[in-house]
Amino acid sequence: MKRRSFCRLFICTSCLFMVGGLSAQEARRNTKFVPKALWKDTDGEHINAHGGGVLFHEGTYYWYGERRGDRTSSGGISVYSSKDLYNWKNEGAVLSPVDNPDSDITWGCVMERPKAIYNAQTRQFVLWFHLELKGQGYAAARAAVATSDTPTGPFKFIESFRPNGNMSRDMGLFVDDDGAAYHIYSSDENYALRIARLREDYLGPTTEDTLLFRNHREAPALFKHRGKYYLITSGCTGWDPNEASLHVADQLFGPWELIGDPMRGGEAKKTFGGQSTFVLPVQGKKDAFIFMADEWRPKKLQDSRYIWLPIQMHADGINIEWIDEWSLDYFN
Ligand code: GAL
């Protein structure tokens, strides 16, 4: 008698972890992108990687982003890993503020828009981000660099600076086909967008540093397709969404031609409620790029949402159209 009831209990307990014959983890597996929905990591937690960018390295995507709490000061920079772009494993904090009050990254600082690239010569992962010093609001306007031997860190903070003496707020990185890397950054109180070629070790800018345009733009996301460079930026309205614009160039240092707003459908005139952060080239698929944006929720920044949409490539430009939900099959 005793034995039979034990058996029943055993079966029921295992049922608790099964949903329609799948384990709870399998049932949670994502198979599509739903912009603005709550995106959960493989532990079931909301992904906390805002204003970020993605690095592909040896078969795995690494998504670096701002680790946000309730306040504007920073919780550091996080990284998530994925093989398929839908399911992301939290790999923890790659860089956190420190207790040392003399450090540029003491608690209370602001770390924004982190981007990581891999330097094949030094075999280092190099992380750049926008740093604001504790207690100074957005006045310091610096770029900061950290490095690691592995993509998941922890990264070692190297230094922060104003590139070639220029203010540096919203930023992106871009590595060209020849391995040269570039820092694209909002400067001069965000009135100027600049580009600087990085040193060979990627740890600082060279003096090859040029004004791209003075259109009061930020949130730069740069990518290359068939020899042309495309640059998506936002206007400057803080956390509030605004109209995106696209510039195109044959050479990184310009001239850059203003094409206009590439967004279509839905709230296109306000970038669907989001702000650009990165363009992600999808591996193994032709002409496949994902536009990544943040729908900011400034009252509770960690609750900000992600807007990922496929980029439609045309002979004479690109468009990004609102889609409620989609999968990578879109690119087939
Ligand atoms: C935005 C910027 C964000 C953040 C915010 C603060 O313009 O893109 O990264 O700095 O301002 O208000």
Side-chain angles (χ1 to χ4, degrees):
M1 188 61 187
K2 253 187 184 164
R3 215 182 158 142
R4 275 179 68 182
S5 58
F6 170 75
C7 193
R8 231 179 261 145
L9 178 70
F10 174 77
I11 291 164
C12 289
T13 313
S14 62
C15 283
L16 278 178
F17 296 102
M18 305 288 280
V19 184
L22 298 173
S23 75
Q25 210 169 15
E26 282 167 338
R28 249 192 340 240
R29 278 193 80 74
N30 303 316
T31 51
K32 59 188 177 189
F33 302 106
V34 186
K36 295 194 190 184
L38 197 135
W39 288 17
K40 292 183 174 173
D41 65 15
T42 52
D43 295 326
E45 301 290 331
H46 181 33
I47 294 175
N48 197 343
H50 311 280
V54 175
L55 169 69
F56 182 76
H57 186 74
E58 294 183 348
T60 302
Y61 294 95
Y62 297 93
W63 176 2
Y64 300 83
E66 299 162 14
R67 174 169 290 234
R68 288 298 194 167
D70 291 329
R71 302 150 61 94
T72 39
S73 66
S74 188
I77 295 168
S78 41
V79 68
Y80 292 75
S81 66
S82 174
K83 298 268 186 205
D84 62 8
L85 290 173
Y86 304 117
N87 296 283
W88 294 92
K89 177 171 181 267
N90 185 356
E91 301 280 2
V94 283
L95 187 71
S96 298
V98 295
D99 287 327
N100 176 2
D102 296 328
S103 167
D104 289 357
I105 58 164
T106 193
W107 283 102
C109 72
V110 178
M111 297 178 181
E112 289 185 348
R113 300 194 171 267
K115 308 285 176 307
I117 51 181
Y118 177 66
N119 189 309
Q121 281 178 34
T122 61
R123 298 191 177 181
Q124 283 195 314
F125 295 84
V126 182
L127 178 72
W128 281 60
F129 56 98
H130 164 203
L131 177 72
E132 293 296 346
L133 303 176
K134 179 183 178 181
Q136 298 189 18
Y138 279 85
R142 287 168 175 247
V145 179
T147 60
S148 166
D149 295 336
T150 63
T152 51
F155 280 68
K156 185 171 171 281
F157 175 65
I158 307 289
E159 59 173 341
S160 81
F161 47 83
R162 284 187 167 185
N164 293 309
N166 300 315
M167 295 178 91
S168 177
R169 291 202 183 113
D170 280 11
M171 54 143 280
L173 296 180
F174 174 73
V175 182
D176 212 340
D177 304 329
D178 59 0
Y182 300 83
H183 178 225
I184 303 99
Y185 62 103
S186 292
S187 194
D188 193 9
E189 300 290 0
N190 303 335
Y191 280 95
L193 198 75
R194 302 189 65 88
I195 187 166
R197 193 163 64 80
L198 301 189
R199 293 183 340 222
E200 284 197 358
D201 61 10
Y202 297 174
L203 302 185
T206 64
T207 51
E208 226 180 301
D209 182 328
T210 306
L211 174 74
L212 292 187
F213 38 79
R214 289 191 66 84
N215 283 4
H216 206 203
R217 309 298 299 172
E218 55 182 16
L222 198 156
F223 69 105
K224 187 180 191 180
H225 178 62
R226 298 198 185 155
K228 270 200 186 302
Y229 300 94
Y230 297 82
L231 176 59
I232 299 168
T233 57
S234 77
C236 299
T237 51
W239 302 115
D240 294 335
N242 53 51
E243 188 173 12
S245 71
L246 170 73
H247 286 77
V248 180
D250 292 323
Q251 285 164 35
L252 274 173
F253 286 90
W256 285 84
E257 186 194 349
L258 174 61
I259 304 296
D261 183 358
M263 308 297 161
R264 298 286 180 270
E267 299 168 77
K269 285 282 161 258
K270 291 244 158 121
T271 318
F272 318 114
Q275 186 183 27
S276 44
T277 184
F278 192 74
V279 170
L280 163 54
V282 180
Q283 300 298 312
K285 290 201 186 263
K286 208 165 152 269
D287 302 339
F289 296 89
I290 298 174
F291 170 70
M292 289 171 55
D294 298 279
E295 185 203 32
W296 297 112
R297 300 201 174 179
K299 288 198 182 116
K300 203 173 174 202
L301 277 169
Q302 75 269 42
D303 200 29
S304 302
R305 303 297 165 93
Y306 308 104
I307 300 173
W308 288 21
L309 291 167
I311 297 185
Q312 303 169 357
M313 314 290 316
H314 312 298
D316 49 350
I318 67 164
N319 282 131
I320 299 164
E321 198 176 336
W322 176 261
I323 306 179
D324 290 338
E325 53 177 68
W326 63 285
S327 78
L328 295 174
D329 291 344
Y330 178 93
F331 296 115
N332 290 347

